[in-house]
Amino acid sequence: MTTTPQPPASLMQETPLPVTPTAKPARAALPRRRPRGPRRSTPLTIAMLAALAYFLLPLFWLVIASTKSTQDLFNSFGLWFSHAPQLLTNVRATFTQDDGVFVHWLLNTAVYAGVSSVGAALLAAAGGYGFAKFRFRGDRAAFNLVVGAVMVPATALAIPTYLLFAKAGLVNTPWAVILPSLVNPFGLYLMRVYAEDAVPESLLEAARIDGAGELRIFFRIVLRLLGPGLVTVLLFTLVATWNNYFLPLIMLNDPNLYPITVGLSSWAAQAQNGGSGASSDMLALVVTGSLISIVPLVVAFLMLQRYWQSGLASGGVKQ
């Protein structure tokens, strides 16, 4: 029996083979990505600039025209100042014309718009909360009626409203302007959409278990949760009532009850017809009074803007 000779132990240890560096495969050149930035659309930019000019040019003209006399309104370029600006003179004459009746009109407008906006916001909040959180027979039909009322223009209801108020003896009173302004179908619709997500059911159930009544829940809990939406409806109603012209025109006969819109319209009629008490600068006073009348609206919008934006966003996005 023959045996196969074994190699020496030193040779049985494996020797590491030399590793030759291999060249990495060349990567294919990838196209460079452009940094992401805001996309610009020339047609959209032109459209936005046109919309900006459409909204701001009348305001710019009003500011310029308020610095001119009636003669300069017709003899100078409409979008630039005249050689002798007289803004302070026009403002002083506006507040002193007809024994300061402009101040009386401004106060009337503030009362009409303030009471109407607060009342309409509270009624819209109560109605929207009721439609959103309570179920009763005919709730869908009633809400569809409210949505349909949104599509009815207010001018179409002015004459029927006048006839109803004439029967009730409320014509030529402040209530003839305030009461119709309290009804805001769009505000009720907006508050219903907002209340569906802003008021959790668990919180209402916890308050009921603790023994709180429905009125206490509404005024102590729900109104705080509906704050942004409440301010939104308040702002919309404030602007609508402040700029309302047709309803006070047919409801009021006493110049001492006029809001600013009807009062300035009467001044413009005097300036055109040359009636009693009309001065040569009456048209300039109408323009200056129009500028003064929008200042409270601008201030109110700037103060309530953040509530308005948060109200629309919170009511339209589900958590």
Side-chain angles (χ1 to χ4, degrees), residues 114-314:
V115 176
S116 300
S117 59
V118 174
L122 290 176
L123 290 177
Y129 166 69
F131 277 117
K133 298 301 177 181
F134 293 92
R135 293 296 173 261
F136 52 91
R137 182 176 299 178
D139 57 345
R140 291 188 177 182
F143 184 72
N144 290 334
L145 184 64
V146 172
V147 175
V150 175
M151 308 304 296
V152 179
T155 53
L157 301 176
I159 301 301
T161 304
Y162 173 80
L163 296 177
L164 290 175
F165 277 67
K167 289 290 185 180
L170 296 177
V171 175
N172 203 31
T173 63
W175 295 111
V177 179
I178 294 175
L179 290 179
S181 302
L182 295 178
V183 181
N184 190 346
F186 175 74
L188 193 150
Y189 169 77
L190 184 65
M191 292 304 297
R192 192 254 187 184
V193 175
Y194 184 80
E196 285 184 348
D197 294 329
V199 181
E201 294 284 352
S202 58
L203 185 60
L204 298 179
E205 292 297 331
R208 294 187 181 108
I209 293 174
D210 290 340
E214 295 299 334
L215 289 178
R216 185 178 181 183
I217 292 174
F218 177 74
F219 286 103
R220 297 293 298 272
I221 299 176
V222 175
L223 280 183
R224 296 183 180 182
L225 298 176
L226 297 180
L230 195 71
V231 174
T232 302
V233 178
L234 187 146
L235 181 61
F236 285 163
T237 310
L238 178 69
V239 174
T241 308
W242 191 282
N243 295 328
N244 197 355
Y245 170 74
F246 189 63
L247 180 65
L249 178 65
I250 67 174
M251 289 291 186
L252 303 176
N253 298 322
D254 187 1
N256 292 324
L257 296 177
Y258 283 171
I260 197 71
T261 52
V262 181
L264 291 178
S265 177
S266 65
W267 275 5
Q270 292 180 16
Q272 293 179 357
N273 301 327
S276 60
S279 63
S280 58
D281 287 336
M282 183 68 75
L283 188 58
L285 302 186
V286 173
V287 176
T288 307
S290 301
L291 177 64
I292 297 173
S293 66
I294 67 173
V295 173
L297 288 182
V298 174
V299 173
F301 181 82
L302 293 178
M303 293 177 60
L304 302 176
Q305 183 182 15
R306 59 192 183 96
Y307 297 104
W308 176 64
Q309 292 176 346
S310 62
L312 290 181
S314 300

Side-chain angles (χ1 to χ4, degrees), residues 31-85:
R32 294 183 178 179
R33 295 183 179 179
R34 296 181 179 179
R36 293 183 178 180
R39 296 182 178 180
R40 296 181 180 179
S41 174
T42 302
L44 184 58
T45 303
I46 295 175
M48 293 301 296
L49 290 177
L52 184 66
Y54 176 79
F55 288 108
L56 291 185
L57 274 181
L59 181 60
F60 180 73
W61 178 89
L62 185 62
V63 174
I64 298 299
S66 299
T67 64
K68 300 179 181 180
S69 62
T70 301
Q71 183 178 4
D72 290 336
L73 286 174
F74 296 97
N75 297 334
S76 61
F77 180 59
L79 295 179
W80 198 245
F81 299 94
S82 61
H83 296 289

